[in-house]
């Protein structure tokens, strides 16, 4: 294939120094280009097939500024591997950097998988930016109504109250149950909760998407990227948890046979699993 289509590798072995691979790349002027790690050619076996040693690599969801052992490491890894958030650079995540309003609606837009085109209602959102389509979608779907001045303020750091409101509206848009409610008076800074975000924070606290810290909810504080990673991890898992099967008083029926498939392929095609009363169906691509 041409270089633009990527390359095929067969992993031969790994050790503390890196990964050794048999690399089948397009030979000639289209030289191999590798991101996120350095590499060295060990030998050229034939035209387009070489043996390489990849070193200094980072696993998917790993960043040089997110060391293992930090409280947010697993959350950053989750949102990265799920494609919810990207890094700030090839090898950096920027965990302490603030999260902007435009970044958050872009994440939700990506989660919605909505490919529609929506008009722009905010004069301060230019065309051609990474968040342009996302803001148009968010406004059209009621995720955001903007500020009282009629603008969206895409580069403003999002507050925790605004983040909760965006998530709350997105959950409702997707048809999820948002009836969970927590008593916000348990937090010592409950008086700081904006009226517009009260219901959203009640729900977010009830679902433990927002858990507070030191008895405080910090609703008007800016949300950092590592904090948003944690919130999105809990939120995404909540929206994608298995649906509880309705009680029917009958034994569950076995998985139906897949017409025209050998027995082994039937087993691979449909897996029906039960755990603690929750039934989940897993489809496998053959």
């Amino acid at each position: 294939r041409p270089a633009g289509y990527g390359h095929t590798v067969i992993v031969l072995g790994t050790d503390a120094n890196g990964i050794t691979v048999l690399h089948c790349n397009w030979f000639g002027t289209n030289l191999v280009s590798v991101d996120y790690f350095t590499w060295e050619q060990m030998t050229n076996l034939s035209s387009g097939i070489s043996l390489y040693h990849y070193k200094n690599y980072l696993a998917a969801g790993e960043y040089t500024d997110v060391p293992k052992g930090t409280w947010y490491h697993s959350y950053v890894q989750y949102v990265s591997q799920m494609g919810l958030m990207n890094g700030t650079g090839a090898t950096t995540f920027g965990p302490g950097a603030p999260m902007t309003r435009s970044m958050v609606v872009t994440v939700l837009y990506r989660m919605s998988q909505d490919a529609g085109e929506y008009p722009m209602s905010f004069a301060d959102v230019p065309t051609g930016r990474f968040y342009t389509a996302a803001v148009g979608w968010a406004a059209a779907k009621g995720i955001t109504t903007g500020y009282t001045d009629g603008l969206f303020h895409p580069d403003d750091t999002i507050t925790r109250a605004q983040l909760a409101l965006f998530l709350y509206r997105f959950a409702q848009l997707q048809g999820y149950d948002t009836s969970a409610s927590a008593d916000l008076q348990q937090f010592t800074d409950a008086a700081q909760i904006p009226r517009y975000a009260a219901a959203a924070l009640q729900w977010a606290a009830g679902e433990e998407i927002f858990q507070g810290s030191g008895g405080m909810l910090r609703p008007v504080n800016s949300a950092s990227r590592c904090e948003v990673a944690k919130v999105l991890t809990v939120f995404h898992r909540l929206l994608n948890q298995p649906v509880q099967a309705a009680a029917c008083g009958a034994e569950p029926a076995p998985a139906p046979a897949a017409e025209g498939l050998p027995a082994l392929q039937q087993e691979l095609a449909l897996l029906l699993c039960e755990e603690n009363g929750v039934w989940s169906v897993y489809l496998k691509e053959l």
Side-chain angles (χ1 to χ4, degrees):
R1 290 181 172 180
Y5 283 91
H7 308 274
T8 300
V9 298
I10 301 174
V11 177
L12 303 180
T14 65
D15 55 36
N17 297 319
I19 304 175
T20 302
V21 301
L22 185 67
H23 194 133
C24 307
N25 62 283
W26 188 257
F27 190 78
T29 57
N30 296 318
L31 299 179
V32 62
S33 175
V34 181
D35 293 330
Y36 304 113
F37 45 78
T38 57
W39 54 272
E40 57 186 357
Q41 182 173 343
M42 297 175 66
T43 181
N44 189 40
L45 303 180
S46 65
S47 178
I49 301 179
S50 304
L51 192 65
Y52 283 90
H53 186 251
Y54 292 165
K55 57 184 180 179
N56 303 324
Y57 62 89
L58 289 172
E62 298 288 347
Y63 300 92
T64 56
D65 58 352
V66 182
K68 293 181 179 179
T70 56
W71 66 264
Y72 50 82
H73 174 267
S74 62
Y75 302 121
V76 170
Q77 188 178 57
Y78 182 91
V79 297
S80 298
Q81 292 179 348
M82 289 293 176
L84 303 180
M85 293 179 67
N86 299 321
T88 55
T91 61
T92 57
F93 184 78
M99 192 82 170
T100 65
R101 289 165 53 83
S102 59
M103 290 177 183
V104 173
V105 296
T106 299
V107 170
L108 297 179
Y109 179 54
R110 193 178 297 134
M111 288 176 60
S112 74
Q113 300 183 353
D114 190 331
E117 296 184 5
Y118 301 94
M120 181 54 61
S121 56
F122 300 115
D124 63 337
V125 178
T127 59
R129 300 294 178 87
F130 74 88
Y131 54 80
T132 302
V135 175
W137 162 83
K141 297 299 183 179
I143 303 297
T144 180
T145 58
Y147 283 83
T148 55
D149 60 3
L151 302 177
F152 178 71
H153 296 268
D155 297 325
D156 281 7
T157 301
I158 196 166
T159 66
R160 289 166 56 82
Q162 292 171 350
L163 176 60
L165 183 60
F166 284 3
L167 298 180
Y168 179 63
R169 289 171 173 170
F170 179 83
Q172 291 180 323
L173 175 66
Q174 298 297 313
Y176 291 97
D177 180 16
T178 56
S179 61
S181 181
D183 181 8
L184 298 181
Q185 295 304 312
Q186 64 181 295
F187 301 105
T188 58
D189 56 352
Q192 299 180 17
I193 296 174
R195 181 177 301 178
Y196 69 82
L201 284 169
Q202 285 176 330
W203 162 78
E207 293 287 7
E208 296 187 349
I209 299 172
F210 281 48
Q211 297 176 325
S213 176
M216 301 178 67
L217 197 57
R218 300 182 291 119
V220 296
N221 286 38
S222 298
S224 65
R225 287 174 55 81
C226 62
E227 288 178 322
V228 174
K230 177 181 179 180
V231 168
L232 285 177
T233 297
V234 179
F235 181 63
H236 189 258
R237 286 172 173 168
L238 173 68
L239 298 190
N240 290 279
Q241 65 183 353
V243 177
Q244 180 71 39
C248 59
E251 290 295 323
E259 294 290 337
L261 291 179
L264 178 59
Q265 286 188 320
Q266 289 183 21
E267 182 178 356
L268 292 175
L270 180 60
L271 300 177
L272 189 59
C273 304
E274 185 270 342
E275 182 178 0
N276 298 326
V278 177
W279 286 84
S280 303
V281 177
Y282 298 89
L283 299 178
K284 298 286 187 179
E285 182 178 357
L286 301 180

